[in-house]
Every structure is written in C-alpha cells, then in structure tokens.
Amino acid sequence: MKQITATGQTVEEAVQSALEQLQTSRDLVEVEIIDEGKKGFLGFGSKPSIVKVSKVHAKEETPEQEVNTELKKQETVPDININVQAETEESETELPAHDPIEEAERYIKAIASDMGASVEVKTTVNGREVHFELIGDKIALLIGKRGQTLNALQYLLHLTINRYTDQYYTAVLDAEGYRNRRKATLETLASRLSEKALKSNQDVKLEPMPSYERKIIHTALQNNRKVETYSAGNEPKRYVVIRPSK
Amino acid sequence: MKALIETIVNPLVDYPEDIQVDVKEEERKIVYHLTVNQEDVGKVIGKNGRIAKAIRTVVYAAGSDSKKRIYLDIM
C-alpha cells in the first residue's frame, strides 16, 4: 500500500495534489484528513489543509487489467511514505499562527487610539477567562455612562477573540478598576433596595443590566433570607426583581 | 472617525476589502454610512442588532466632543 501526505489551501486541493502525485483517481484511494486547515484571521494564522491519501491495495477491489499496472507501479516505486510539501506561495509568505489573545489586545489598542485615548493593555488569562485591563489618560471616555462604552467594547472584543478559535473565551474588559468599583456600587444598591422591598412589602424592579451585573445583585442577596431575587424581561433589557420572601 | 469605524468592523467581517464608509456632512450632523459585503451584513448587525448597537455606542462616544451630532448608518 502506498501512502502520501499532501497539503493544500483546502481539503479538496490537498486531495487533488495527492492524486496527481500518485497518478491515480479518487475512487482508488482512501483519504484521511489530518488537518482541515484554517482560513486565517486578517491574513494571519491560516493553516494549510493536510490529508493522508492511501492507495487501496488493488488486488481485491479492481479488475485484473488494473491490477497488472498497479503491480508494475509498485515494483518501481518503493513502498514508503513520502511527505510532499505542496504549499502555495501565499501560505509560505504568511506569518505563523497568531494568538487570538494578542489579536484582541491589538484590536482594543487600535480602537482606543482611534478614539483619541491611547491606552496600555494588561492582559491576564485565567482558564477560559481573559481579563484585559486598560491603563491610560482619557479612560473616562472609554468607560462611558454607567460603563456602556466599556460594555460595548467588551462585547466587540468578545466577538473578535472567539472568531477563529475552537476554544471559547470570555473576555472581561476593565479600566482603572471600574468593574470593582461598579461591583461595590451594585452591592450597596442591592442591600438598600432589599430594605425598601421589605419596608413596602412590594417587589422592587431594578433598571436593565447586563448579565454579569445582575449576577452581582443575585449573589449579594443570596444569603439574605428575607428577600428573594429573580430576573425578568428579555435581553438586552433584562432586569433583576427583589421580592420579599413569604 | 472613519478610521475608527473601519478598525472596529475589520476583524468582524469575512471580506474586509469590501468595507466602505461614506461621510455626509450636514448642517447640524455628520452621517457616516457603513457598507459591507452582502454576506457580512449579519456580522455587523448581529442578533437583535446587538453588534450594531455596540459599534454605535463606541462611535458615538468617540464623537461626543465634536460640535455636530454624529449618526452611523449601517447598510
């Protein structure tokens, strides 16, 4: 059995290239896909497709005429694996695969500088969670009212970081400790509104918040037996309700 | 501002070469009109316009110190 490994821009191209080298047709071979390849991101990180094509032993499956030619071929060609690099020029000039986290870092820096607020980015990776901390002069511009700009940027960052990875990352974007300050504010708000709910004996609805901010409220009141919390409404206008326990 | 819109949209689409931003300046406002490849429309709008909303938030924040009101049209 003769085997050959070939590469190409797509799986199909790789298979074609292997068939040419083996001088055979598609139905006489077994194709094993080693790597599907990647299209790449901004021209970076593209990976060629790699396939392993094995000539099926002709004896059992092909008519006798073909067996003869097949056997002849096998006499002249030694039965070894040949690695053929059939990469196109394009993929040779391409840079090695880039880290999606580095791409995201560059993305947020580019946006900030286009907004006229150059920043430094401090990145920490904690499992699936990637934390970006922005440090710079005009940080208020990047946070916006109630962090709405920061949340928008975080969402865009989340999209780009997950664009070309198999892994799923959660992007957390923070600026000058904003998230921690916000957390403290929300916890104070939670305890104040829980008292209000108890005093009036009525449900208290909070304003719409993104999921991780709602989570802060739920967590803050989790151990408070006198009230219970739940979320209502649909994204992006989902909000927390604090209700006195019965 | 045009550069900012392009920077934001670039990694979101499959055909960055088809991104086009037209500027129309009016008396009291500046309108930026963003067009992308037909196949990329969904990628800049998103489910319930979530991506479009995020792009607008960032663009409007950047334009907050300009005298004229800024609008971003998508498609």
Side-chain angles (χ1 to χ4, degrees):
Chain A
M1 194 168 78
K2 201 183 158 195
Q3 268 190 338
I4 199 165
T5 314
T7 55
Q9 291 277 291
T10 61
V11 171
E12 199 45 49
E13 268 179 54
V15 172
Q16 275 308 321
S17 136
L19 292 179
E20 266 170 44
Q21 283 160 49
L22 288 168
Q23 296 181 336
T24 183
S25 66
R26 181 78 196 238
D27 35 26
L28 292 177
V29 295
E30 247 175 48
V31 179
E32 187 192 332
I33 297 165
I34 296 170
D35 196 330
E36 296 230 5
K38 268 184 184 167
K39 216 171 119 198
F41 176 62
L42 294 173
F44 304 130
S46 81
K47 263 164 69 188
S49 308
I50 304 167
V51 292
K52 191 192 257 179
V53 177
S54 318
K55 233 177 191 176
V56 180
H57 211 288
K59 263 182 193 163
E60 303 99 25
E61 287 169 48
T62 48
E64 262 184 80
Q65 286 169 320
E66 276 190 51
V67 173
N68 287 337
T69 58
E70 202 77 1
L71 287 173
K72 266 180 213 160
K73 245 188 243 164
Q74 283 193 343
E75 279 162 25
T76 51
V77 185
D79 191 17
I80 47 162
N81 292 352
I82 309 165
N83 261 313
V84 188
Q85 289 296 323
E87 282 181 72
T88 55
E89 262 178 56
E90 204 193 320
S91 53
E92 272 169 9
T93 52
E94 267 167 2
L95 294 163
H98 271 247
D99 187 3
I101 296 167
E102 271 174 43
E103 295 284 351
E105 222 173 88
R106 217 167 309 148
Y107 180 59
I108 190 70
K109 269 189 187 172
I111 292 180
S113 94
D114 279 350
M115 286 174 83
S118 291
V119 289
E120 279 303 305
V121 184
K122 226 170 75 187
T123 314
T124 35
V125 184
N126 188 357
R128 291 274 162 85
E129 199 182 279
V130 190
H131 194 105
F132 300 91
E133 167 96 44
L134 304 180
I135 305 148
D137 301 332
K138 291 164 80 179
I139 234 63
L141 178 71
L142 297 176
I143 297 176
K145 185 188 163 202
R146 299 235 167 103
Q148 60 175 2
T149 313
L150 196 67
N151 289 340
L153 288 170
Q154 175 173 286
Y155 181 55
L156 293 170
L157 204 55
H158 173 85
L159 291 174
T160 44
I161 203 170
N162 287 307
R163 183 88 205 270
Y164 290 106
T165 51
D166 306 328
Q167 255 183 307
Y168 190 79
Y169 290 111
T170 312
V172 178
L173 184 64
D174 198 356
E176 312 253 301
Y178 173 79
R179 299 266 181 232
N180 270 333
R181 272 184 285 143
R182 179 77 178 150
K183 189 174 176 226
T185 314
L186 289 173
E187 280 166 353
T188 324
L189 182 79
S191 72
R192 216 183 57 224
L193 291 179
S194 67
E195 276 161 35
K196 187 184 164 192
L198 284 174
K199 233 183 221 168
S200 64
N201 202 23
Q202 266 176 352
D203 292 7
V204 176
K205 285 181 192 171
L206 277 73
E207 60 174 288
M209 282 173 206
S211 59
Y212 45 86
E213 293 194 359
R214 292 197 306 271
K215 193 178 170 191
I216 293 171
I217 307 270
H218 290 308
T219 316
L221 297 176
Q222 200 176 29
N223 293 324
N224 189 334
R225 296 265 171 102
K226 292 177 212 149
V227 292
E228 44 194 50
T229 58
Y230 63 92
S231 296
N234 287 322
E235 292 282 9
K237 293 200 166 167
R238 213 163 148 74
Y239 55 88
V240 179
V241 182
I242 303 173
R243 154 193 290 173
S245 322
K246 278 150 204 162
Chain B
M1 187 62 72
K2 212 176 137 178
L4 171 67
I5 299 168
E6 281 162 7
T7 308
I8 296 172
V9 177
N10 210 307
L12 303 177
V13 296
D14 283 338
Y15 304 94
E17 63 277 6
D18 290 342
I19 298 173
Q20 207 188 325
V21 183
D22 298 319
V23 191
K24 217 168 76 190
E25 195 158 348
E26 286 169 29
E27 205 181 318
R28 301 172 84 178
K29 62 182 182 189
I30 307 171
V31 180
Y32 293 89
H33 191 90
L34 169 71
T35 28
V36 294
N37 188 294
Q38 199 63 39
E39 286 180 33
D40 285 332
V41 178
K43 297 198 181 72
V44 293
I45 294 175
K47 198 175 164 193
N48 293 330
R50 201 173 162 196
I51 302 171
K53 199 181 161 206
I55 298 172
R56 286 203 179 98
T57 307
V58 176
V59 171
Y60 294 168
S64 59
D65 46 357
S66 92
K67 281 183 189 125
K68 291 181 179 178
R69 180 89 173 86
I70 284 178
Y71 287 95
L72 176 65
D73 269 355
I74 296 173
M75 292 313 283

